[in-house]
Amino acid sequence: MNQTRRAFLGTSAAVGSGAIAGCLGGDDPSEPSESPAEDDPEPPEPPVIGDPEADVTVVVYEDFACPACQAFKLNVFPALGEQYLEPGSVRYEHRDFPVIGSSWSWELPSAAREVFETEGDNAFWAFTSRVYEHQGSYSYEIVEDIADEVGADGADVREAAEEDRHRSAIEAQRSYGRANGISGTPTVVVDGDPVEFYDSETQTFSEMAFEETADAIDAALE
């Protein structure tokens, strides 16, 4: 076990201590009963970090209203970044998969998509990491302020959230996930194989998720 994994597993997670179950999909009253994206699950280009040309691809499906996704993004993602993304060992993709019956499950992806399409990958990853810190107290003001902080047009990003501007792109991503067997968040897929997450009596969710994800990546890199 390398130093990064020892350090991560040897400390208490800042977010997500204790058992946090993932968020399972169900009937979402904010989603149309029929979506044109269901007929064509091909998703839009995803935000990418790491080496875009790496042999190993990690895809993470998230819902901004899911507490387990917050724990994964704020605790696990930075550790994966240090171990795999900074060295360029993997290609890491974000995909939206709204499962919570909250307007933020759709509006925040629209805001993040606007940041991505106007400012690129780096701004997207900075925006999403910062906005997760405010889960439970999301507001359009927070969206605008963080967008400004990462170099985007805050007022325009806020408007994208308020107008649900990128709804069709989010629907296409959700349809793509469903077509590939995704039913909840966070779901991590390493080279086409989903990583198994479980409730642990001895580890926090973040510790378990990091260990399982790192094991899957290490196996794929062999």
Side-chain angles (χ1 to χ4, degrees):
M1 182 181 294
N2 63 38
Q3 183 62 36
T4 300
R5 192 176 302 192
R6 283 199 300 269
F8 183 90
L9 295 176
T11 58
S12 296
V15 175
S17 59
I20 297 181
C23 303
L24 296 176
D27 293 333
D28 184 346
S30 69
E31 182 183 14
S33 58
E34 295 186 5
S35 166
E38 295 288 341
D39 297 327
D40 182 8
E42 188 65 27
E45 176 187 2
V48 172
I49 194 170
D51 180 2
E53 304 301 324
D55 292 334
V56 173
T57 296
V58 179
V59 181
V60 182
Y61 293 85
E62 299 179 26
D63 181 331
F64 285 94
C66 171
C69 291
Q70 181 200 43
F72 190 91
K73 191 56 166 281
L74 297 186
N75 297 329
V76 181
F77 174 70
L80 294 175
E82 180 180 347
Q83 188 161 329
Y84 302 105
L85 305 183
E86 292 175 11
S89 302
V90 303
R91 171 189 171 95
Y92 188 104
E93 299 180 1
H94 167 94
R95 295 196 185 276
D96 294 299
F97 193 78
V99 294
I100 303 294
S102 165
S103 62
W104 292 116
S105 296
W106 297 90
E107 293 177 5
L108 270 173
S110 280
R113 188 79 197 174
E114 185 68 20
V115 172
F116 170 60
E117 292 190 355
T118 58
E119 303 300 328
D121 288 300
N122 290 340
F124 170 88
W125 294 104
F127 175 83
T128 54
S129 292
R130 285 279 289 110
V131 81
Y132 262 121
E133 296 174 3
H134 298 273
Q135 190 183 84
S137 59
Y138 288 145
S139 70
Y140 296 125
E141 289 76 15
I142 287 172
V143 168
E144 182 172 354
D145 289 345
I146 295 176
D148 281 332
E149 289 173 11
V150 303
D153 183 332
D156 188 54
V157 173
R158 173 179 178 155
E159 188 177 90
E162 292 175 330
E163 295 178 349
D164 215 359
R165 181 178 298 167
H166 298 286
R167 180 79 182 216
S168 61
I170 311 309
E171 288 176 348
Q173 290 187 69
R174 183 172 179 178
S175 295
Y176 179 80
R178 283 177 164 172
N180 285 277
I182 305 303
S183 60
T185 58
T187 296
V188 179
V189 180
V190 178
D191 273 358
D193 295 322
V195 177
E196 181 181 356
F197 290 165
Y198 54 87
D199 290 330
S200 173
E201 296 181 356
T202 60
Q203 294 176 302
T204 67
F205 171 84
S206 297
E207 290 168 346
M208 176 278 298
F210 175 78
E211 186 170 27
E212 294 300 309
T213 302
D215 284 347
I217 293 173
D218 289 342
L221 289 171
E222 290 179 354

